[in-house]
Amino acid sequence: MNKPILEINNLYIDYPISIGTVHAVEDVSLILNRGEVLGLVGESGCGKSTLGLSLLKLIRPPGKVSGGEILYKGKDVLKMSGSEMLNFRGQNIAMVFQNPLTSLNPLFKVKDQFLETIHYHKPEIKQEEAIRMSENILEDLGIDKERMHEYPHKLSGGMRQRIMIGLGLIMQPDILVADEPTTSLDVIVEAGFIDLLNRLRKRFNLTIILITHNLGLVAEIADRVAVMYGGRIMEIGSADNIFSDPLHPYTFGLINCIPNIELEQKELITMPGNPPDLVNPPDGCRFAPRCPRVMDICKKEVPEVRMYKGRKIACRLYE
Amino acid sequence: MPELLKVTNLTKNFPVEKNILDVLLAGRKRNFIHAVDDVSFSIREGEVLGLAGESGSGKSTTGRLILRLLEPTGGSVYYRGKDMISIRRKEMEALRSKIQIVFQDPNSSLSPRMSVGEAIEHPLKIHNMGTKGERKEKVLDLMEKIGLTPASFLYRKYPHQLSGGQSQRVVLARALITSPDFIVADEPIAMADVSVRALILELMKKLKAEFNLTYLFITHDLATAKYLCDRVAIMYLGRIVEIGTKDELFGNPHHPYTKALLAAVPVPDPKRRRIEEMPKGEIPSAMEPPSGCHFHPRCLRAMLKCSKKKPGMREVSPGHFSACFLDE
Ligand SMILES: Nc1ncnc2c1ncn2[C@@H]1O[C@H](COP(=O)(O)OP(=O)(O)OP(=O)(O)O)[C@@H](O)[C@H]1O
Ligand SMILES: Nc1ncnc2c1ncn2[C@@H]1O[C@H](COP(=O)(O)OP(=O)(O)OP(=O)(O)O)[C@@H](O)[C@H]1O
Ligand code: SF4
Ligand SMILES: [Mg+2]
Ligand SMILES: [Mg+2]
């Protein structure tokens, strides 16, 4: 395969708060290959959005990247200047956020949101050209171009979500970071959205990072899956491997604690206990206090990420 | 098993309020939201009936009507044969301790100023049950059973000091403290993290067996409905379009809407990626539901008459009903 389009090496992200420091992302390394969909999964607060935001250098101070590098085609994103960053966002990498109603400006018509975005990145583009670009992308998204003249609240949830995607894609970025893009959608609309993402990725050769705690969604669309827990990567592998043979005890728990409509389940796997406190994380493996297979050594040293059976895994059971 | 609850022709229209946004959205057309439209079903003692469907289909409104947290526009609700709509207020108050509801978001349904102990005890106080000492004992005992342990420690905690799983347990404990026999659970796990969901589902199963409970389980997740329920009803725009046992509904679905919903559920298995064609568009407004079969504008198999007449419920196999002209 070619060189990865994005390479994250030993990334650390902290949020200083009154009682200490939240270690939201710790020692995360990840590569992204061109044209793939990477599912980034894990439960609430494990650092998914923080990691996603850092790729666009959007961590709000006092939060900060305290170590590591993010290489986009070999160039360190974290070292880009302000003006480089403005171009980079939108044109190379774009992000779509969780709630389309709060991230679309309610005071502007759809058309104006597009024109604004285009003008921001490329002020030299003329208005007629910008309108044509917007109409084209709306057509790709299956939205009637007459809808351009509506305000966001007049549109259905699914349409708003597609418009968000449209705004993200209008400058033709290579990478789309989609943070919980379907949480506000119903299943049928969500299914349509998955189809849409699949079409877009082919059409634009998009690379997608899909952040979600919906494992079903990831199974539908992701090529590879990265599982996070307490700010750290637990396991990364192909979607097939991760779902058919989850090795890390946390991945195993995560996949087997959800009802699966295809199966006759008598009981769900449960994981008693709570996610770790990221201000004072437990020593050793972050998952050790909840792990059904915990050993003495797990509580002492953080397990390193190693290759095992074609995937990367951070667990003492596989050394 | 005898029938515990029976709902017949239940209907609820909400008048649309005339604020600016509503005027904008509704124009000058009809001014009612048809939240629940002629809904009938029954639940046997010890059964779990699932009420599933997309957002706005009227699931929560149905649940609230059963508890009479809302007054119906029409129809009846019978609890153990008693007509709940026409009984006197006093009798209703007595029944209230027997029928409880659990809501979606534990954080907004718990008062931040009430400790765990006070919150769980509260319904006992309202219903004047037991002395102070007896009530405390009962609360601690239930906390143990529900896994809120160590009980004497958590008893004094406040909601902000609890984890998501603990908060949802408090909500469950509060619903169970008056020894009800029927619980309406309105998306009790929707806001929870995946691992907490599993804990709550398993707990609800255990409690059902232990306290001999009957549930109306409201969810938009069909996989969860299949896991927990004995029978499932599918709602669309205020109407039940299909109802049947779990095996029938999931193994032999009849209504095109049920089929679409089932096909849309993402399966946590990359080898089973979806191929079916999805219905077009989204749920229309409940203010102007489509004529005839509400689903006809999105249905891939709609026929001419579907937009003209409302299809009646037909028994497609014993105990399995579907409201679709294809089943005539
Ligand atoms: N601005 C902030 N200040 C302080 N702490 C923060 C801030 N943003 C996030 N955190 C903390 O960092 C950790 C990771 O948060 P993040 O939002 O990245 O998690 P997530 O995996 O996206 O969760 P969710 O699934 O709930 O969206 C959490 O413990 C969170 O409380
Ligand atoms: N108090 C109310 N006043 C006016 N309209 C209401 C009221 N409560 C519900 N509705 C409307 O009634 C319809 C049914 O709502 P309901 O909350 O019962 O749906 P639901 O199936 O529970 O949806 P969800 O899955 O989103 O919880 C919706 O169109 C809703 O907007
Ligand atoms: S390292 Fe130990 S505690 Fe962590 S997941 Fe593996 S077995 Fe469990
Ligand atoms: Mg997030
Ligand atoms: Mg509801």
Side-chain angles (χ1 to χ4, degrees), chain B residues 252-265:
Chain B
N252 181 25
H254 270 248
H255 199 283
Y257 179 62
T258 310
K259 289 183 182 169
L261 268 186
L262 285 174
V265 176

Side-chain angles (χ1 to χ4, degrees), chain B residues 34-70:
Chain B
H34 305 270
V36 174
D37 179 4
D38 198 14
V39 159
S40 304
F41 60 85
S42 62
I43 310 180
R44 283 184 290 279
E45 216 173 316
E47 194 177 40
V48 182
L49 176 72
L51 205 51
E54 291 171 284
S55 189
S57 54
K59 306 180 295 295
S60 297
T61 305
T62 304
R64 287 181 166 88
L65 288 168
I66 290 173
L67 273 105
R68 261 187 94 184
L69 298 175
L70 287 171

Side-chain angles (χ1 to χ4, degrees), chain A residues 1 3 17 34 43 48 61 72 77 86 97 109 200 213 247 276 285 310 315-316:
Chain A
M1 204 175 287
K3 274 180 63 182
I17 55 171
R34 177 148 208 145
E43 291 176 276
K48 305 181 296 296
Y72 171 80
V77 174
L86 287 187
F97 298 92
K109 290 179 179 166
L200 293 175
H213 41 233
L247 292 180
C285 172
C315 172
R316 295 276 169 200

